[in-house]
Amino acid sequence: MILFEQLHNLCVEQNISIATAESCTAGLLASKITSIAGASSFLKGGVVAYQNDVKVDVLGVSRLLIQERSEVCSEVAEQMAEGVRNKFSVDFSIATTGYAGPKGGNKLNPIGTVFLAVSSKERTVSKRCLFSGERESIVKQAVIKGASFLIEELKKE
């Protein structure tokens, strides 16, 4: 909980607005952010883009990119983050996409692979993470890592 309090305080102190675009975490990141009272002062909202059509039609992710690289890659995470940042007109956004299991994944990106992306008006950055454990554990690890990544990027601005 301390992590989400830190995110809350940072956003409030710096008057930063944020939004989320979540695939594999299915809204858990936004839920954790709003577990701290007063989150409505900085979290404008989020999109659970679990299916590829939502990534494409709502967030503006390239359908060709998904066909060529799959929905689990850094470029898709980055386009999701940029799409939700623009749609909600926020200062920062974060996106998650990955394979939580028990099915999915491939040799290059096995189950437990999650791509996180943070977007601001200045830049969009992403990172690939590999988590272990069961589905629920992978999702929880992705949420924690995502919040930490967002905090790191907020501190750079």
Side-chain angles (χ1 to χ4, degrees):
M1 197 54 82
I2 292 170
L3 182 67
F4 294 98
E5 289 172 358
Q6 185 182 0
L7 177 61
H8 179 281
N9 294 340
L10 196 56
C11 289
V12 170
E13 288 164 10
Q14 295 185 16
N15 195 30
I16 293 170
S17 59
I18 64 172
T20 63
E22 300 181 67
S23 185
C24 64
T25 53
L28 185 60
L29 179 56
S31 177
K32 289 291 189 185
I33 292 168
T34 60
S35 68
I36 308 295
S40 63
S41 67
F42 63 91
L43 178 70
K44 282 199 177 179
V47 173
V48 175
Y50 212 67
Q51 293 186 348
N52 289 340
D53 285 346
V54 177
K55 290 176 182 75
V56 172
D57 298 338
V58 176
L59 297 175
V61 174
S62 164
R63 190 175 302 277
L64 183 61
L65 173 63
I66 291 173
Q67 289 169 352
E68 289 178 351
R69 299 277 324 272
S70 94
E71 63 277 12
V72 179
C73 67
S74 59
E75 295 87 353
V76 167
E78 290 171 5
Q79 287 185 13
M80 288 173 66
E82 290 167 356
V84 80
R85 182 176 53 78
N86 291 326
K87 189 156 290 284
F88 284 85
S89 298
V90 292
D91 301 312
F92 281 83
S93 63
I94 182 163
T96 66
T97 185
Y99 297 118
K103 295 181 180 176
N106 54 48
K107 211 173 234 184
L108 179 63
N109 291 313
I111 291 170
T113 302
V114 176
F115 287 90
L116 305 169
V118 173
S119 181
S120 70
K121 291 176 180 92
E122 285 72 38
R123 67 192 193 122
T124 301
V125 292
S126 60
K127 65 170 58 174
R128 178 184 185 270
C129 304
L130 185 58
F131 303 114
S132 60
E134 300 295 318
R135 180 181 181 83
E136 187 177 343
S137 175
I138 290 168
V139 171
K140 286 179 180 176
Q141 291 173 75
V143 166
I144 298 297
K145 188 69 169 184
S148 298
F149 185 33
L150 180 56
I151 289 168
E152 286 171 28
E153 293 302 312
L154 291 175
K155 287 181 174 179
K156 288 179 184 177
E157 293 291 320

